[in-house]
Amino acid sequence: MPKTQDGELTPLMRQYLAVRRSLPADTILFYRLGDFYEMFFDDAVRASPILGVALTKRAGAPLCGVPYHAVDSYLAKAVRAGLKVAICEQMEDPAAAKGVIRREIVRVVTPGTATEDTILDAANNNFIVALYKSQRGPWGLAALDLSTGDFVVESAADTRALCDAVARYAPPECVVPRDASDASGDYAGPLALIQASVTRADDWTFQFDAATQELTRHFGVQTLDGYGLAEAPEAVQAAGALLRYVTLDLRRETGHVRGIRLAATGDCLVLDETTCRNLDLFPDKARGRTTSLVGVLDATQTPMGARALRARIRRPLGRLGAIRSSLDSVSWLVGHRIALSTLRSALGKIRDMERLIARVGAGLGNGRDLNAIGASLEALPAVRMALSQSDDPGLARLSGAIADLPGTAALIRRAISDSPSATLKDGDVIRDGFNAELDELRHLAREGHAWLAEYQAAEQERTGIKNLKVRHNSVFGYYIEVSKGQLGLVPQDYQRRQTLVGAERFITPKLKEYEERIFGAQDKAQALEYDLFRQVRDDVASETAAIQASAAAVAELDLLASFADRALALGYVRPDVHDGDSLRIVAGRHPVIECMDDAGRFVPNDTALDCSGNQIAIITGPNMAGKSTYIRQVAVIAAMAHAGSFVPAAEASIPVMDRIFTRVGAGDDLARGRSTFMVEMQETANILNCATPRSLVVLDEIGRGTSTFDGISIAWAVAEYLHNTPAVKAKTLFATHYHELTDLELQLPGVKNYSVQVREQGDSIIFLRTMTRGAADKSYGIQVARLAGLPAPVVSRAREILANLEDGELDASRQPKLAKRSRQKIDFDAESGQLHLFDF
């Protein structure tokens, strides 16, 4: 550890240790020393392999460092590794400081609060969430995207609903009370399921009074009644604790967080995480799934639109009026292709206004950020112009929400240079001509540099020393360097300052006089440029509310334009969304599969479901025939309609639903000690306990993880329960290989049998992919096995066993026919014990 000669810690090290002690142990301290951020002791040991920098030692203390001008790239590495990083800056000019330079922690960057472009994914939000379990039962959840200012709260009735809600936000960081236990208690289940780093905040910050005070202080209001939070006290408690953690513990600026909204369950079609995964709504890296519904529908032109699209697919609309309004807007754009093209072209010139204004408001924006905002503001009038002929109320509302800020755009254009440097220290941020005083100082500095070149040439001429050089370093400033061989020509007015092996260094009074002018002008210009930039940045930040409103309107317009573009490109139609219970699709297609490169011609199919005579469709047919694709496509089309998008079909009539449930496939959940069958039964139980007559249920093979008779029994009972329980009675698509279930049609009036057509061709089958009324007459499992490449002897033997099973009786010797084999009579030589060669 660095110490003075008498063994005392150096003043710098005492300052460092004081700052370090103020931080939690899990936080890495980036400590500014000149042009580097240094890390010492355990921080250095922990961070160096993650950041990819060398670990060294100074006075026995481990240390490593990163250049200040490249800090964002190293922050990205740290945050992606789940680290928290405290940035400690020099708060005064080193040249003017007396003693140790004053330093302070200016912000703490964590996985859930990053705002840097190098860390964030432009197409996805970056939420940090807080959870709170109230004594009255419900959970409170608060989610804040600091990079955009989006602040959302929810209430969840139970742990499963909470986990589904958290999954929608996909947070990299979660805040819980300090006494929340990982191993037991209310928080154990959610914390085991959430794939996020967990931060513990003081319990008192989650108390209702403390949380309410934090929120009302931040928003400058007397009460929270205007935000609709009266019926969700647990959400208020989570929100207040989260805001305090971000503002005080992390020292982050939250002035751009200007509102909070309650996400009510009734406002959306609920899609739990299982359903999102089973329907391939989003890419799934864990399962190697890159194709998704979002990938098909994303033709957005802005990062805000891309995030809005993902939010809409994850949480489709649940109110008929909102759905029809979205469809009306998409319909107008589809019917006015020139306006659509013009709109998309204008949107393409708009940058990520949400995140840009958030950085500017937090005092982190640079000249490039301001230029991007300025260019975006200048593009907004073209967006409004593209919609000027629209008579659609939704488009008119969004167009009217776009603010007209020509003054702000003009200020940025006048003040900021076309290619500003990334940091103010490098200069060239404020445009020439913006400020007369700055222009004069810059002229003096530039003139001084030109004078130096002229001075060097004049001294070479005066002294006859042709290799004389005027140079600069941080110790002596400007100096004249003369080689040893030319020292005899040095004039009397040269003052020696340093002797080197092969040269001498000198100064002159005239050189020092100009040095002061140059340095004085440079320092003053840099200080003035910084002040001017801050004034411009503050002026732009004062329009945060208007810019955020414009960004929200642009995001929704981009979403609607993307829906319209995809509808035209892929042949989608407007669905008729209604308040009834009848679901009807004519020539429906799977939007993801039909767009795959190797998909071939997609075969469309019809669907008819309701809550009476067509409540449950039992679907049979061989593997690979398309049963799973068909039932999934119905669910995806329903979700698309609720999102306000056109759908892949010739016609579609979709009722407003509350939830879509899926039970598709299964796999062991080894991390949580759950077998395939247990996963299957838990998902099925969730459906039976939560579905309503307004739900859509997709079941693909219930009961495969246990014995055949157990599986059939459970599947049969599940179908009966869905049909016979009035509180459930959900529209259901049930794909199965249990042909016994087709008998349900004879007993339950709401059950109908369907099958996927195939054509037999010798021992082979051809999949026709067409749904038809009635049950499949056989499963064709052996033919599929042959297509899969099973050896011929195995296929042949399987046919024999199948025939025996279908006979279902013992042979004459009372042996199971299952064990019978077809045996060719072969001549055997008893004496030699050999088979005759020609008998084969």
Side-chain angles (χ1 to χ4, degrees):
M1 186 176 294
K3 298 182 179 180
T4 61
Q5 290 183 350
D6 58 4
E8 293 292 326
L9 291 176
T10 63
L12 180 66
M13 188 49 61
R14 284 199 298 272
Q15 183 191 64
Y16 168 83
L17 291 175
V19 174
R20 174 64 263 187
R21 282 193 291 269
S22 70
L23 295 169
D26 63 348
T27 303
I28 302 293
L29 176 58
F30 276 27
Y31 188 72
R32 181 73 178 270
L33 282 175
D35 289 341
F36 283 81
Y37 289 102
E38 301 283 5
M39 286 147 277
F40 298 95
F41 310 114
D42 290 344
D43 284 355
V45 173
R46 185 181 176 197
S48 61
I50 294 172
L51 303 181
V53 296
L55 180 67
T56 61
K57 286 190 176 182
R58 182 184 301 164
L63 68 92
C64 65
V66 299
Y68 87 95
H69 58 79
V71 67
D72 282 355
S73 63
Y74 290 101
L75 274 178
K77 291 181 179 181
V79 169
R80 289 185 186 123
L83 300 182
K84 300 177 182 177
V85 179
I87 307 295
C88 184
E89 289 287 2
Q90 296 176 168
M91 305 306 292
E92 56 185 339
D93 184 354
K98 295 181 179 180
V100 178
I101 300 170
R102 183 169 61 87
R103 293 177 174 85
E104 292 180 4
I105 295 174
V106 295
R107 60 190 173 116
V108 181
V109 182
T110 70
T113 59
T115 58
E116 293 76 8
D117 284 340
T118 53
I119 300 174
L120 300 175
D121 177 357
N124 288 287
N125 285 98
N126 187 57
F127 283 106
I128 179 173
V129 303
L131 308 179
Y132 179 72
K133 179 68 165 64
S134 68
Q135 293 182 348
R136 69 190 188 100
W139 286 86
L141 179 150
L144 171 63
D145 184 347
L146 196 63
S147 72
T148 65
D150 195 12
F151 200 7
V152 191
V153 294
E154 294 190 37
S155 291
D158 52 38
T159 299
R160 186 180 187 96
L162 173 74
C163 293
D164 286 338
V166 171
R168 286 196 292 272
Y169 297 103
E173 186 177 1
C174 177
V175 181
V176 297
R178 197 171 300 282
D179 67 354
S181 172
D182 292 344
S184 61
D186 293 327
Y187 291 85
L191 293 181
L193 292 173
I194 296 170
Q195 301 298 313
S197 63
V198 177
T199 297
R200 300 182 187 280
D202 290 339
D203 296 340
W204 67 267
T205 64
F206 287 86
Q207 293 177 3
F208 182 78
D209 289 345
T212 301
Q213 182 178 1
E214 185 70 28
L215 293 171
T216 54
R217 178 200 60 78
H218 176 80
F219 294 119
V221 295
Q222 293 287 327
T223 72
L224 298 175
D225 293 348
Y227 296 101
L229 304 179
E231 301 302 319
E234 58 281 344
V236 170
Q237 290 169 272
L242 179 58
L243 187 62
R244 183 181 180 84
Y245 167 72
V246 171
T247 305
L248 297 182
D249 293 3
L250 302 186
R251 300 168 173 85
R252 304 305 294 271
E253 174 59 48
T254 54
H256 63 290
V257 181
R258 296 182 170 238
I260 185 170
R261 58 188 174 86
L262 176 65
T265 303
D267 292 337
C268 71
L269 171 69
V270 178
L271 306 173
D272 59 29
E273 188 62 16
T274 298
T275 295
C276 289
R277 183 176 62 251
N278 288 338
L279 298 183
D280 292 319
L281 300 186
F282 303 94
D284 189 339
K285 295 179 180 178
R287 295 191 300 161
R289 299 283 185 88
T290 57
T291 55
S292 66
L293 179 63
V294 160
V296 171
L297 295 181
D298 190 359
T300 55
Q301 300 293 297
T302 69
M304 298 96 72
R307 293 193 293 271
L309 173 67
R310 283 153 180 77
R312 180 68 65 87
I313 297 301
R314 191 174 290 279
R315 196 181 176 91
L317 303 171
R319 304 288 185 188
L320 181 60
I323 296 170
R324 286 180 173 173
S325 176
S326 178
L327 291 171
D328 287 344
S329 297
V330 175
S331 294
W332 191 91
L333 292 170
V334 167
H336 297 78
R337 299 191 184 191
I338 294 177
L340 173 61
S341 177
T342 304
L343 172 62
R344 284 169 51 78
S345 177
L347 290 170
K349 298 175 183 177
I350 297 175
R351 305 284 294 280
D352 197 342
M353 295 169 62
E354 274 185 324
R355 285 180 171 168
L356 289 166
I357 195 59
R359 284 202 295 272
V360 167
L364 301 175
N366 57 25
R368 296 175 183 178
D369 292 331
L370 291 184
N371 271 349
I373 290 176
S376 299
L377 294 178
E378 290 174 344
L380 292 180
V383 173
R384 291 199 303 270
M385 182 61 67
L387 299 172
S388 60
Q389 302 302 313
S390 172
D391 57 358
D392 175 67
L395 295 176
R397 173 182 59 82
L398 294 172
S399 179
I402 296 176
D404 189 11
L405 299 171
T408 302
L411 171 64
I412 295 170
R413 180 68 67 188
R414 289 198 319 273
I416 307 300
S417 63
D418 291 335
S419 300
S421 59
T423 61
L424 283 174
K425 185 175 181 180
D426 295 331
D428 296 327
V429 174
I430 298 296
R431 186 187 295 274
D432 287 339
F434 179 70
N435 180 272
E437 183 182 356
L438 178 61
D439 291 344
E440 182 178 355
L441 290 170
R442 283 175 171 173
H443 176 71
L444 287 173
R446 292 165 187 161
E447 183 184 63
H449 287 295
W451 180 88
L452 286 172
E454 294 172 359
Y455 179 73
Q456 176 177 290
E459 287 300 296
Q460 289 173 344
E461 182 69 25
R462 179 170 78 94
T463 63
I465 304 172
K466 299 305 181 184
N467 61 355
L468 178 149
K469 300 293 183 185
V470 178
R471 290 178 170 158
H472 178 272
N473 67 25
S474 59
V475 177
F476 299 111
Y478 286 101
Y479 58 84
I480 299 170
E481 186 169 288
V482 179
S483 64
K484 291 281 190 180
Q486 302 293 317
L487 290 179
L489 299 176
V490 171
Q492 293 296 319
D493 59 337
Y494 277 30
Q495 302 171 19
R496 182 180 283 105
R497 281 290 179 265
Q498 188 178 24
T499 299
L500 304 177
V501 174
E504 298 277 351
R505 291 175 175 174
F506 304 88
I507 63 170
T508 68
K510 191 173 184 179
L511 181 61
K512 285 293 144 182
E513 178 186 345
Y514 266 85
E515 179 183 313
E516 291 178 5
R517 288 187 60 186
I518 295 170
F519 280 175
Q522 286 178 329
D523 291 344
K524 289 178 181 177
Q526 188 177 50
L528 180 57
E529 184 171 30
Y530 180 66
D531 288 341
L532 292 171
F533 174 77
R534 288 184 58 181
Q535 291 173 20
V536 174
R537 188 170 64 186
D538 289 346
D539 286 345
V540 174
S542 68
E543 300 291 351
T544 294
I547 293 174
Q548 285 180 329
S550 297
V554 166
E556 190 167 352
L557 284 171
D558 198 10
L559 161 70
L560 296 170
S562 183
F563 282 163
D565 177 82
R566 294 294 81 196
L568 289 168
L570 301 174
Y572 294 174
V573 300
R574 174 173 179 159
D576 172 28
V577 182
H578 55 84
D579 270 335
D581 75 347
S582 175
L583 181 151
R584 187 175 69 89
I585 299 172
V586 177
R589 315 185 306 275
H590 195 297
V592 179
I593 292 178
E594 75 169 351
C595 288
M596 296 175 67
D597 293 337
D598 57 350
R601 187 183 70 87
F602 192 90
V603 178
N605 277 295
D606 300 344
T607 305
L609 292 171
D610 53 46
C611 291
S612 52
N614 296 284
Q615 184 211 336
I616 300 177
I618 302 291
I619 303 164
T620 51
N623 282 313
M624 297 173 58
K627 300 190 305 297
S628 296
T629 296
Y630 170 72
I631 61 177
R632 284 178 170 98
Q633 89 182 25
V634 174
V636 172
I637 288 173
M640 289 175 66
H642 281 74
S645 168
F646 282 23
V647 299
E651 296 178 29
S653 177
I654 309 293
V656 176
M657 302 174 183
D658 57 2
R659 295 189 66 158
I660 295 178
F661 294 93
T662 60
R663 157 84 282 286
V664 176
D668 290 342
D669 187 352
L670 299 179
R672 295 166 58 198
R674 302 189 304 166
S675 67
T676 298
F677 185 62
M678 176 59 75
V679 172
E680 184 179 331
M681 289 300 99
Q682 287 180 339
E683 291 179 357
T684 304
N686 177 57
I687 294 171
L688 299 182
N689 290 324
C690 299
T692 74
R694 294 182 58 229
S695 303
L696 175 65
V697 174
V698 171
L699 301 173
D700 193 358
E701 300 294 355
I702 286 183
R704 291 184 303 176
T706 185
S707 70
T708 300
F709 286 167
D710 281 355
I712 293 173
S713 302
I714 293 171
W716 185 292
V718 166
E720 280 188 344
Y721 186 87
L722 288 168
H723 183 277
N724 295 334
T725 307
V728 180
K729 210 165 183 64
K731 291 174 280 292
T732 303
L733 295 163
F734 197 154
T736 182
H737 284 287
Y738 295 143
H739 284 255
E740 292 83 353
L741 296 185
T742 60
D743 291 342
L744 284 166
E745 184 182 61
L746 303 175
Q747 303 183 28
L748 303 176
V751 174
K752 295 291 184 292
N753 288 324
Y754 294 88
S755 59
V756 188
Q757 286 188 328
V758 298
R759 179 186 301 154
E760 294 189 62
Q761 198 170 63
D763 289 337
S764 299
I765 55 173
I766 299 173
F767 300 116
L768 302 180
R769 314 290 187 193
T770 303
M771 296 296 302
T772 186
R773 186 75 171 82
D777 55 356
K778 60 176 74 172
S779 68
Y780 299 99
I782 293 175
Q783 288 91 333
V784 173
R786 191 188 68 79
L787 290 175
L790 263 64
V794 174
V795 174
S796 177
R797 176 59 177 152
R799 292 186 191 282
E800 294 175 356
I801 295 173
L802 176 63
N804 294 338
L805 288 172
E806 288 176 341
D807 285 347
E809 295 181 4
L810 302 177
D811 63 11
S813 62
R814 307 301 298 167
Q815 296 297 312
K817 290 185 176 181
L818 175 63
K820 288 174 58 179
R821 290 181 179 271
S822 295
R823 299 182 183 277
Q824 181 180 359
K825 185 176 181 180
I826 300 174
D827 189 9
F828 184 78
D829 188 329
E831 291 185 4
S832 65
Q834 296 290 325
L835 296 171
H836 291 298
L837 177 63
F838 295 105
D839 288 330
F840 282 92

PDB file of all heavy atoms in Angstrom, residues 827-836:
ATOM      1  N   ASP A 827     -32.859 -74.977 -42.539  1.00  0.00           N
ATOM      2  CA  ASP A 827     -32.338 -76.331 -42.358  1.00  0.00           C
ATOM      3  C   ASP A 827     -31.090 -76.275 -41.491  1.00  0.00           C
ATOM      4  O   ASP A 827     -30.149 -75.548 -41.786  1.00  0.00           O
ATOM      5  CB  ASP A 827     -32.014 -76.954 -43.722  1.00  0.00           C
ATOM      6  CG  ASP A 827     -31.679 -78.429 -43.598  1.00  0.00           C
ATOM      7  OD1 ASP A 827     -31.863 -78.997 -42.493  1.00  0.00           O
ATOM      8  OD2 ASP A 827     -31.247 -78.977 -44.608  1.00  0.00           O
ATOM      9  N   PHE A 828     -31.087 -77.087 -40.392  1.00  0.00           N
ATOM     10  CA  PHE A 828     -29.989 -77.054 -39.442  1.00  0.00           C
ATOM     11  C   PHE A 828     -29.344 -78.427 -39.375  1.00  0.00           C
ATOM     12  O   PHE A 828     -30.009 -79.438 -39.188  1.00  0.00           O
ATOM     13  CB  PHE A 828     -30.552 -76.664 -38.068  1.00  0.00           C
ATOM     14  CG  PHE A 828     -29.503 -76.503 -37.001  1.00  0.00           C
ATOM     15  CD1 PHE A 828     -28.725 -75.352 -36.939  1.00  0.00           C
ATOM     16  CD2 PHE A 828     -29.304 -77.508 -36.053  1.00  0.00           C
ATOM     17  CE1 PHE A 828     -27.783 -75.222 -35.944  1.00  0.00           C
ATOM     18  CE2 PHE A 828     -28.355 -77.363 -35.074  1.00  0.00           C
ATOM     19  CZ  PHE A 828     -27.597 -76.221 -35.001  1.00  0.00           C
ATOM     20  N   ASP A 829     -28.031 -78.502 -39.551  1.00  0.00           N
ATOM     21  CA  ASP A 829     -27.295 -79.781 -39.512  1.00  0.00           C
ATOM     22  C   ASP A 829     -26.926 -80.065 -38.068  1.00  0.00           C
ATOM     23  O   ASP A 829     -26.059 -79.436 -37.484  1.00  0.00           O
ATOM     24  CB  ASP A 829     -26.036 -79.679 -40.369  1.00  0.00           C
ATOM     25  CG  ASP A 829     -25.344 -81.030 -40.521  1.00  0.00           C
ATOM     26  OD1 ASP A 829     -25.430 -81.857 -39.603  1.00  0.00           O
ATOM     27  OD2 ASP A 829     -24.716 -81.194 -41.566  1.00  0.00           O
ATOM     28  N   ALA A 830     -27.624 -81.079 -37.483  1.00  0.00           N
ATOM     29  CA  ALA A 830     -27.424 -81.367 -36.070  1.00  0.00           C
ATOM     30  C   ALA A 830     -26.028 -81.878 -35.779  1.00  0.00           C
ATOM     31  O   ALA A 830     -25.458 -81.619 -34.728  1.00  0.00           O
ATOM     32  CB  ALA A 830     -28.456 -82.386 -35.603  1.00  0.00           C
ATOM     33  N   GLU A 831     -25.482 -82.642 -36.734  1.00  0.00           N
ATOM     34  CA  GLU A 831     -24.168 -83.221 -36.464  1.00  0.00           C
ATOM     35  C   GLU A 831     -23.077 -82.153 -36.452  1.00  0.00           C
ATOM     36  O   GLU A 831     -22.211 -82.140 -35.586  1.00  0.00           O
ATOM     37  CB  GLU A 831     -23.842 -84.293 -37.501  1.00  0.00           C
ATOM     38  CG  GLU A 831     -24.720 -85.531 -37.371  1.00  0.00           C
ATOM     39  CD  GLU A 831     -24.276 -86.612 -38.331  1.00  0.00           C
ATOM     40  OE1 GLU A 831     -23.241 -86.387 -39.012  1.00  0.00           O
ATOM     41  OE2 GLU A 831     -24.937 -87.630 -38.395  1.00  0.00           O
ATOM     42  N   SER A 832     -23.122 -81.292 -37.405  1.00  0.00           N
ATOM     43  CA  SER A 832     -22.048 -80.298 -37.489  1.00  0.00           C
ATOM     44  C   SER A 832     -22.328 -79.059 -36.655  1.00  0.00           C
ATOM     45  O   SER A 832     -21.433 -78.271 -36.362  1.00  0.00           O
ATOM     46  CB  SER A 832     -21.817 -79.866 -38.936  1.00  0.00           C
ATOM     47  OG  SER A 832     -22.973 -79.180 -39.416  1.00  0.00           O
ATOM     48  N   GLY A 833     -23.624 -78.910 -36.290  1.00  0.00           N
ATOM     49  CA  GLY A 833     -23.981 -77.699 -35.540  1.00  0.00           C
ATOM     50  C   GLY A 833     -23.900 -76.448 -36.388  1.00  0.00           C
ATOM     51  O   GLY A 833     -23.781 -75.352 -35.857  1.00  0.00           O
ATOM     52  N   GLN A 834     -23.950 -76.618 -37.731  1.00  0.00           N
ATOM     53  CA  GLN A 834     -23.814 -75.483 -38.638  1.00  0.00           C
ATOM     54  C   GLN A 834     -25.069 -75.317 -39.470  1.00  0.00           C
ATOM     55  O   GLN A 834     -25.744 -76.284 -39.812  1.00  0.00           O
ATOM     56  CB  GLN A 834     -22.619 -75.698 -39.576  1.00  0.00           C
ATOM     57  CG  GLN A 834     -21.280 -75.747 -38.854  1.00  0.00           C
ATOM     58  CD  GLN A 834     -20.899 -74.390 -38.326  1.00  0.00           C
ATOM     59  OE1 GLN A 834     -21.191 -73.384 -38.945  1.00  0.00           O
ATOM     60  NE2 GLN A 834     -20.256 -74.369 -37.167  1.00  0.00           N
ATOM     61  N   LEU A 835     -25.350 -74.093 -39.846  1.00  0.00           N
ATOM     62  CA  LEU A 835     -26.399 -73.816 -40.800  1.00  0.00           C
ATOM     63  C   LEU A 835     -25.864 -74.034 -42.191  1.00  0.00           C
ATOM     64  O   LEU A 835     -24.699 -73.762 -42.481  1.00  0.00           O
ATOM     65  CB  LEU A 835     -26.865 -72.357 -40.656  1.00  0.00           C
ATOM     66  CG  LEU A 835     -27.527 -71.992 -39.317  1.00  0.00           C
ATOM     67  CD1 LEU A 835     -27.722 -70.486 -39.256  1.00  0.00           C
ATOM     68  CD2 LEU A 835     -28.837 -72.722 -39.151  1.00  0.00           C
ATOM     69  N   HIS A 836     -26.719 -74.553 -43.089  1.00  0.00           N
ATOM     70  CA  HIS A 836     -26.310 -74.723 -44.471  1.00  0.00           C
ATOM     71  C   HIS A 836     -26.272 -73.362 -45.161  1.00  0.00           C
ATOM     72  O   HIS A 836     -27.227 -72.595 -45.084  1.00  0.00           O
ATOM     73  CB  HIS A 836     -27.277 -75.668 -45.203  1.00  0.00           C
ATOM     74  CG  HIS A 836     -27.166 -77.081 -44.708  1.00  0.00           C
ATOM     75  ND1 HIS A 836     -26.022 -77.816 -44.821  1.00  0.00           N
ATOM     76  CD2 HIS A 836     -28.095 -77.898 -44.104  1.00  0.00           C
ATOM     77  CE1 HIS A 836     -26.214 -79.040 -44.319  1.00  0.00           C
ATOM     78  NE2 HIS A 836     -27.485 -79.104 -43.878  1.00  0.00           N
TER      79      HIS A 836
END
